[in-house]
Amino acid sequence: MTQLTRAILIVLDGVGAGENPDAHAYGDEGASSLEHCAQAIGGLELPNLGKLGIGNITPILGTPARQEVVGSYGRMASAAAGKDSTTGHWEMTGVVLSKALPTYPHGFPTEVVTAFEQAIGRKVIGNKVASGTEIIKELGEEHVRTGYPILYTSADSVFQIAAHQEVIPLTELYQMCEVARSMLTGDHAVGRVIARPFIGTPGAFQRTEHRRDFSLAPTGITLLDRLKDAGKDVIGLGKIEDLFAGRGLTQRDHTETNHEGMDSTLNWLEKDFTGLLFVNLVEFDMLWGHRRDSQGYARALRDVDQWLPQLQQRMRPGDALFFTADHGVDPTYRGTDHTRECVPLLAYGEPIRAGVDLGVRPTFADLGQTLAEAFGVEALTAGTSFARILGLV
């Protein structure tokens, strides 16, 4: 048996694999991101992911099930309340929320907005669900004229504040976010407060790279905490540090795009470390799923599929690779929200027994518990390990 040295956990953000058992409670009956995306474009060929077993998990037109695969495969159902990124990532690392993080499809209530305005000494404008690029087009000119920050939210549990850097300097915008973070507790404890600075002139406003997230810390002990406490490396790529408020990480690279995340993953695999490389590839959700763009969603999946052989070439004998997701965002479904779905589970590498059908796991936390056992650290409070089934212990 090859001892596990490094685990590469890649989250394809928003890539669901069929409705969750409780999808009806979320109004998401029949949602199936991978299946419906492939149908919508007339077929989606993912030959490299197919070799790992992705076609054995859920029907994908163009990527059929295979008799022989080099990975092991299954699906994981969500047991947590809520269908956002924070909830999904916490669940897969062992913290299963019994109450969903608050979302605000109709904007924030008056008492929250008024208290925030009083605390920062300014009125706000907006206060609705919006795309970040669209709301600065719509309200940017009024903001520049009045100095009122733009408040908005999304399908996720977020309180976002947009401001022009020449109207409200970055230090002041960040202070406003810290004020909001300290106020948003209890029933209004949103997952993230996000500073969204922009520059430019009316008709040509653009967001800058100075976004900053002020996150809610996980409400329990995560796999990241266990690994770090045991002296392992825990490297977060993409928005991982935001989702965990930086906790449990030893190193981070806040990549913004899928390609940046994939390049950074390859770079990290050239380095010596022992522990977890935790990667979030966000564009399935951020760019394509919410916009219900099946072509873009499929293109992003093909990009990952074409990149996979480069990743495999850089894997060492003690490396195990896992692909999963945090929720669905079916690009063919009604509305623009996330969809309550099971997520894919693929496992590959020398330490992994190939061809194992892992079935449907009852919680994402099974993955975190599996990695905890495989690394020999203290068990998490949720989840059932399948490390033995995979040959990891």
Side-chain angles (χ1 to χ4, degrees), residues 113-257:
V113 175
T114 301
F116 179 62
E117 288 176 331
Q118 289 172 348
I120 64 170
R122 297 183 191 232
K123 291 280 190 189
V124 299
I125 54 177
N127 188 27
K128 60 182 179 179
V129 172
S131 147
T133 51
E134 291 302 316
I135 202 158
I136 61 174
K137 275 186 205 169
E138 178 192 344
L139 296 176
E141 193 169 357
E142 182 182 351
H143 158 71
V144 170
R145 189 178 70 251
T146 62
Y148 298 160
I150 302 167
L151 172 63
Y152 67 106
T153 187
S154 74
D156 268 347
S157 181
V158 291
F159 185 100
Q160 303 186 92
I161 308 167
H164 196 292
Q165 289 179 196
E166 293 171 13
V167 176
I168 298 177
L170 287 173
T171 51
E172 189 176 349
L173 176 59
Y174 295 158
Q175 285 169 356
M176 289 179 178
C177 290
E178 286 171 353
V179 166
R181 179 71 279 170
S182 66
M183 290 173 55
L184 294 166
T185 57
D187 289 343
H188 297 299
V190 297
R192 286 173 289 161
V193 174
I194 307 176
R196 292 286 199 174
F198 64 96
I199 55 172
T201 55
F205 290 128
Q206 60 187 71
R207 298 200 288 193
T208 74
E209 71 276 15
H210 300 298
R211 164 185 169 157
R212 187 174 291 180
D213 291 56
F214 300 77
S215 306
L216 189 68
T219 55
I221 300 298
T222 71
L223 171 69
L224 283 60
D225 298 320
R226 290 275 192 256
L227 292 173
K228 184 179 181 182
D229 290 348
K232 305 289 187 188
D233 297 303
V234 186
I235 303 150
L237 307 189
K239 67 180 185 180
I240 297 299
E241 68 172 310
D242 298 335
L243 297 167
F244 291 87
R247 206 180 80 195
L249 295 176
T250 59
Q251 298 192 71
R252 64 211 70 192
D253 181 5
H254 203 303
T255 53
E256 298 289 343
T257 67

Side-chain angles (χ1 to χ4, degrees), residues 350-369:
E350 277 194 34
I352 301 283
R353 190 175 288 139
V356 178
D357 181 351
L358 295 163
V360 181
R361 313 300 303 186
T363 170
F364 299 179
D366 285 7
L367 178 53
Q369 196 72 281

